[in-house]
Amino acid sequence: MIYPKIPLAQTVVQLCKAKGVKHIVISPGSRSAPLTIGFSNDDYFKCYSIVDERCAAFFALGIAQQLKEPTAVVCTSGSALLNYYPAVAEAFYSDIPLIVLSADRPKHLIGIGDGQTINQKNVFENHVLYTSNLKLDLKEDDVNGVEEVPIFQNLENKVETLLGLKKGIQEYNEEAVDAAINIALVKKGPVHINVPFDEPLYEVVNELSVKPKVTIAEKKLLQVDDSLLEDCVKDWNAASKKMVLVGVNQPNQIEQQWLETLAADDSIIVFTETTSNLHHKAFFPSIDKLIAPLNDEGFEKLQPDILLTFGGLIVSKKIKAFLRKYKPEQHWHIDQNKANDTFFSLNNFIKTTPNYFFSKLLPKTAPIKSDYYPYWKYTQESRLVKHDDYLNSIGFSDLKAFDSILKSIPNDTILQLGNSSTVRYAQLFDLNKTLEVFCNRGTSGIDGCTATAIGCAVGNNKQTTLISGDLSFLYDSNALWNNYIPNNFRIIVINNQGGGIFRILPGHKNTENFDTYFETYHQLTAEHLCKMYGFKYEAVSDEAALKASLNSFYSEDNLPKLLEVFTPKDLNDEVLLNYFKFIG
């Protein structure tokens, strides 16, 4: 087998292999050549070549999201590394294990005007769980770059000292790489390993010169303190209004018995978001549909005594505004790593998994007679009737398009949602419970939705459909510059000729300033991008054409497909705002 000659590159590659980091996304570059040689010549690794580093990092994030295990990205030195930052931040806030391997210049070449060189040390410091700046391998025939080189009395002492330094550097690098990968494995987040290489970069050998020491990553289940559990049981049993709010959540994470127990208690309502991947006939999806029309009296009735949250970030602005104004007496959050005080009332961070906490709490509690659930269930049913009545009364628009599209997605497939208006429209509908739903809600940016969805499609065997707005799609169009897109991958672009969500927000619409700087009106389409990147393309602009196209859109084909849905930009905001008035 061919290996890079540089021991540091061998160390990084061998430790990734030993710890099961199999998927490696590589962007081309010279300084990173030792890593590229090491990964691409070992059949253990599945390597991908993605030119655009921003897209490469989101592509890797999509793979890691599906596999629930670390995926590595490899880039050269300089600004290439900075292009990883949006995906690194998303991984940080979404708890996705991403390993950034950046090649760097030797220390003595940094800050002297050498080409393709920036200050890479700790560049992601605020958005990674761990950062490690490795040490340059020591060459026995060249001590340039070694700090505090001793004055040698004779050649024998010089050789002995150099060997000691070399051993110390190797041990440091092994420990740093080992620790970084373990943290990504255990804590589920991004880590950054900065790897300096000196020339020559392309030399290879047939045998390894290092054998790194490997430590096993151990994750301990955090137990709930007995006194804390007793207090929780006491308060839970005393509260007649308990709200469970679930944010971003991986599919099949919560045991069904605990869902059934929550559903059987009239003092509990469970709010689920589209991204929560939790379903039960007694739960309350489509949060905005329920609470948007409420007045002060309704909010006071909904105000919980105890708010229990788990999962990632919350999409609904309306539920956040409600709970910040009508604060619960207690807010408990369950998570192994972190708790956000989203509603400014957090008083109990339960540092464990939801399954473990429910297994300790719920068997010690009993259902309470309350009108909390019955009242809001009746309200929900009323909203559902009006929801259907409204959809039957309106013409073609974003809302109407989403109704048809979300009903069309095949069972047991994956739905990736773009950010901004896309995920918010999806929140208004009760989704097919067989779907697995994902969205980059860590930072809620539009910058990598397409690349993430493609990585997701590569990381699993299920058909993946991305629904995206036009700006989000065009912004991330380099994501299509990718040789690994499965033929069953589907994209639906809702093209309302600009940032339609800004027409819904407060502001002065229909002015030149608004059209240019907020809505960013355009007349671009995806047609030519599809021709360039090998997608089958179809466009529709009315309900009948949309439904006809969706009938065959998901069927097998020899190319991925994109469906562009054109909606009336000047009507969509009015339709949506009137929707909330109508259902109330």
Side-chain angles (χ1 to χ4, degrees), residues 36 52 76 102 107 121 142 328 414 426 446 471 503 538 555:
T36 301
D52 184 323
T76 191
S102 59
K107 186 175 181 180
K121 182 178 180 180
D142 184 3
I414 292 177
I446 68 168
L471 293 190
R503 301 187 66 84
E538 188 173 355
S555 60

Side-chain angles (χ1 to χ4, degrees), residues 262-465:
L262 293 172
D265 191 333
D266 281 349
S267 68
I268 300 173
I269 60 174
V270 180
F271 278 146
T272 61
E273 294 211 301
T274 300
T275 53
S276 70
N277 290 292
L278 277 186
H279 301 277
H280 193 285
K281 63 182 180 181
F283 291 173
F284 294 74
S286 307
I287 299 172
D288 288 359
K289 186 162 58 183
L290 181 73
I291 70 172
L294 295 180
N295 55 24
D296 287 342
E297 181 182 356
F299 283 131
E300 288 173 1
K301 286 184 178 180
L302 184 61
Q303 182 178 15
D305 302 322
I306 296 175
L307 171 67
L308 175 64
T309 58
F310 62 90
L313 301 184
I314 300 296
V315 175
S316 172
K317 288 184 176 180
K318 290 179 172 57
I319 194 72
K320 283 187 278 193
F322 157 60
L323 289 169
R324 287 170 181 171
K325 182 176 180 180
Y326 297 88
K327 291 180 172 36
E329 293 179 12
Q330 298 188 56
H331 174 200
W332 308 349
H333 185 75
I334 312 169
D335 191 88
Q336 287 188 284
N337 296 313
K338 59 188 175 186
N340 294 311
D341 192 7
T342 304
F343 314 108
F344 313 124
S345 56
L346 182 70
N347 68 314
N348 205 340
F349 176 18
I350 303 165
K351 209 168 184 181
T352 188
T353 65
N355 276 328
Y356 182 82
F357 179 67
F358 288 144
S359 73
K360 297 299 180 183
L361 174 77
L362 295 180
K364 297 181 179 180
T365 62
I368 296 174
K369 286 187 177 182
S370 171
D371 63 357
Y372 194 46
Y373 170 80
Y375 177 85
W376 291 108
K377 190 63 178 175
Y378 174 81
T379 305
Q380 179 193 44
E381 291 170 354
S382 173
R383 297 273 196 272
L384 288 172
V385 172
K386 292 204 169 186
H387 171 90
D388 291 339
D389 289 344
Y390 186 78
L391 285 170
N392 290 330
S393 71
I394 61 173
F396 192 63
S397 58
D398 280 353
L399 188 66
K400 194 84 166 180
F402 271 94
D403 181 47
S404 297
I405 291 166
L406 293 173
K407 288 176 180 175
S408 75
I409 300 172
N411 288 345
D412 301 307
T413 61
I414 292 177
L415 173 61
Q416 285 274 349
L417 295 170
N419 267 311
S420 202
S421 60
T422 299
V423 69
R424 298 189 187 282
Y425 269 113
Q427 292 268 103
L428 300 177
F429 296 87
D430 296 351
L431 264 61
N432 179 343
K433 66 180 181 181
T434 72
L435 301 179
E436 297 180 9
V437 184
F438 298 90
C439 181
N440 285 350
R441 290 306 299 176
T443 60
S444 308
I446 68 168
D447 40 4
C449 297
T450 305
T452 302
I454 294 171
C456 163
V458 170
N460 69 79
N461 295 320
K462 294 185 176 183
Q463 184 175 66
T464 298
T465 301

Side-chain angles (χ1 to χ4, degrees), residues 245-262:
L245 175 60
V246 189
V248 176
N249 190 62
Q250 285 274 351
N252 305 312
Q253 292 294 295
I254 309 301
E255 293 179 15
Q256 189 64 30
Q257 61 176 318
W258 309 130
L259 302 182
E260 297 293 344
T261 303
L262 293 172

Side-chain angles (χ1 to χ4, degrees), residues 5-269:
K5 184 177 181 180
I6 297 175
L8 179 53
Q10 293 182 17
T11 300
V12 173
V13 172
Q14 292 306 306
L15 282 170
C16 285
K17 184 175 182 178
K19 292 179 176 294
V21 182
K22 188 178 182 66
H23 294 265
I24 315 294
V25 183
I26 301 170
S27 294
S30 182
R31 188 61 52 169
S32 54
L35 293 174
T36 301
I37 291 168
F39 286 121
S40 62
N41 282 287
D42 190 329
D43 290 340
Y44 171 80
F45 298 104
K46 175 62 177 175
C47 295
Y48 310 85
S49 177
I50 306 289
V51 174
D52 184 323
E53 285 88 2
R54 181 172 62 81
C55 294
F58 277 109
F59 175 77
L61 184 141
I63 295 175
Q65 174 199 83
Q66 293 301 302
L67 299 180
K68 305 178 187 65
E69 60 187 40
T71 299
V73 287
V74 177
C75 72
T76 191
S77 62
S79 61
L81 177 61
L82 301 182
N83 287 290
Y84 284 162
Y85 215 138
V88 169
E90 177 64 35
F92 180 74
Y93 290 108
S94 290
D95 302 322
I96 295 177
L98 188 69
I99 299 174
V100 175
L101 300 172
S102 59
D104 200 359
R105 259 42 177 189
K107 186 175 181 180
H108 65 279
L109 293 180
I110 296 173
I112 65 165
D114 207 36
Q116 206 168 328
T117 304
I118 65 171
N119 293 318
Q120 295 182 197
K121 182 178 180 180
N122 301 333
V123 71
F124 300 130
E125 186 174 14
N126 293 326
H127 293 96
V128 289
L129 301 180
Y130 183 88
T131 185
S132 176
N133 298 283
L134 304 185
K135 295 183 178 181
L136 187 71
D137 282 322
L138 181 63
K139 301 177 183 178
E140 293 182 14
D141 58 348
D142 184 3
V143 295
N144 289 334
V146 178
E147 296 180 358
E148 300 179 4
V149 178
I151 300 175
F152 302 107
Q153 299 300 317
N154 55 54
L155 183 59
E156 183 178 342
N157 287 342
K158 177 179 180 179
V159 171
E160 183 178 340
T161 304
L162 285 173
L163 289 174
L165 285 171
K166 185 175 182 179
K167 181 180 179 182
I169 289 171
Q170 178 63 24
E171 289 178 350
Y172 173 87
N173 288 337
E174 286 182 14
E175 291 174 1
V177 175
D178 187 81
I181 299 175
N182 280 352
I183 287 171
L185 283 164
V186 172
K187 295 190 175 181
K188 302 299 182 185
V191 297
H192 176 210
I193 304 172
N194 196 48
V195 194
F197 293 125
D198 204 354
E199 297 182 7
L201 300 168
Y202 292 88
E203 292 185 335
V204 297
V205 293
N206 294 319
E207 293 184 2
L208 293 168
S209 60
V210 296
K211 188 176 180 180
K213 181 181 178 182
V214 179
T215 61
I216 304 300
E218 295 183 4
K219 186 168 186 177
K220 297 179 180 178
L221 178 65
L222 298 173
Q223 308 292 320
V224 179
D225 182 78
D226 288 341
S227 61
L228 171 61
L229 183 61
E230 288 177 9
D231 290 341
C232 289
V233 170
K234 179 182 177 182
D235 293 341
W236 190 265
N237 281 328
S240 61
K241 296 196 299 181
K242 299 182 279 285
M243 179 184 293
V244 177
L245 175 60
V246 189
V248 176
N249 190 62
Q250 285 274 351
N252 305 312
Q253 292 294 295
I254 309 301
E255 293 179 15
Q256 189 64 30
Q257 61 176 318
W258 309 130
L259 302 182
E260 297 293 344
T261 303
L262 293 172
D265 191 333
D266 281 349
S267 68
I268 300 173
I269 60 174

